Amino acid sequence: MSEESVKEPQEKNELQRKNLDRYFSFLYAVIWPFFNLFRPIRAVGRENIPKGPAVICPNHTTAGDPFYVVFAFGHKCPMRAMAKIQIMRVPFVGWILSKAGVFGVDRGNNDMKAVKTALKFLKGGDKLLMFPEGTRVHEGENVSVKTGAALFATRAGVPLLPVYIQRKKRLFRPNTVVIGQPYYPKYEGRKPTAEELQSIAQEVMNRVQALGEGIG
């Protein structure tokens, strides 16, 4: 394989990444002033954000949670995000989100396209935002944690990053987002078993909940 044939896909991927970052920055600049006016954010632990790729794992209680994470990390930290396929099918909304690095996942099926997209982003050096619980969880509900974040982190060889978003959101008052320490999941063998993936998934959510102790 010639050096030129190797450089071409690398240059194409880098161009794609720059375009995604450009749209991400545009949407950030448009949405942040309004969001910050009504739902100001108090970010704790920004120093824990790794420079390289990572799977960002927050708890999930409201539809606006992705915005809390993105704005807590800041405009200098673009990220890609996995969203349910129904959102991506909304006219114009899905298109503009896809331009900024958001991609859909069909939760009811074995969506291999979404899996490949997530791994491509992580192996390309991007941060991936996804909610391990897989859905919004209200106070008192008990939801089984999904293994997607654990699977992506172990396959791509990147750390998991637990994040806690304040459950009870407030208008015109700071809402706290706590960014924890990144860590690499541990497992036996060349790749984790299904049981190990479930254990890793539960561990990251335990770490998320520990970050929220005393916050509400």
Side-chain angles (χ1 to χ4, degrees):
M1 184 178 291
S2 66
E3 184 177 345
E4 288 77 12
S5 62
V6 173
K7 288 180 65 177
E8 282 184 12
Q10 290 177 341
E11 291 174 353
K12 183 179 180 180
N13 289 338
E14 186 60 30
L15 178 61
Q16 180 189 38
R17 188 178 186 183
K18 288 181 179 179
N19 287 335
L20 291 174
D21 288 349
R22 190 176 298 115
Y23 273 97
F24 178 92
S25 298
F26 169 74
L27 287 179
Y28 190 107
V30 170
I31 299 172
W32 180 83
F34 301 98
F35 193 93
N36 186 62
L37 176 64
F38 295 99
R39 304 280 189 179
I41 294 171
R42 172 178 172 262
V44 178
R46 276 182 177 157
E47 67 277 5
N48 294 328
I49 300 174
K51 291 184 178 180
V55 182
I56 303 167
C57 302
N59 58 313
H60 196 15
T61 58
T62 67
D65 286 337
F67 295 104
Y68 285 96
V69 177
V70 167
F71 296 138
F73 275 58
H75 71 279
K76 292 183 179 180
C77 188
M79 61 185 72
R80 315 307 173 208
M82 179 180 282
K84 61 182 181 180
I85 195 68
Q86 289 83 354
I87 294 176
M88 304 307 294
R89 290 172 177 167
V90 177
F92 182 72
V93 173
W95 177 82
I96 193 68
L97 289 177
S98 67
K99 290 292 186 179
V102 181
F103 60 99
V105 58
D106 187 350
R107 294 172 180 169
N109 297 293
N110 188 17
D111 193 341
M112 291 307 300
K113 181 180 179 182
V115 171
K116 290 178 180 178
T117 301
L119 292 174
K120 176 185 175 182
F121 281 138
L122 289 170
K123 291 178 179 179
D126 294 310
K127 291 177 175 60
L128 173 66
L129 167 63
M130 64 180 301
F131 297 95
E133 293 164 308
T135 187
R136 281 174 274 174
V137 180
H138 303 290
E139 193 167 0
E141 284 187 314
N142 187 17
V143 175
S144 178
V145 183
K146 308 300 185 292
T147 59
L151 176 68
F152 298 148
T154 53
R155 281 199 183 179
V158 303
L160 292 163
L161 182 61
V163 176
Y164 181 82
I165 307 169
Q166 181 175 316
R167 295 178 62 88
K168 298 178 181 178
K169 313 300 194 294
R170 302 177 297 186
L171 278 170
F172 306 112
R173 296 173 63 189
N175 294 278
T176 302
V177 177
V178 184
I179 303 166
Q181 292 277 354
Y183 71 98
Y184 288 88
K186 296 180 180 179
Y187 54 92
E188 301 291 337
R190 190 174 62 87
K191 60 181 182 179
T193 63
E195 291 76 15
E196 286 175 320
L197 285 174
Q198 191 62 57
S199 177
I200 292 169
Q202 188 58 58
E203 180 186 2
V204 72
M205 286 312 302
N206 290 344
R207 293 187 181 222
V208 169
Q209 297 303 329
L211 293 173
E213 290 182 2
I215 295 177

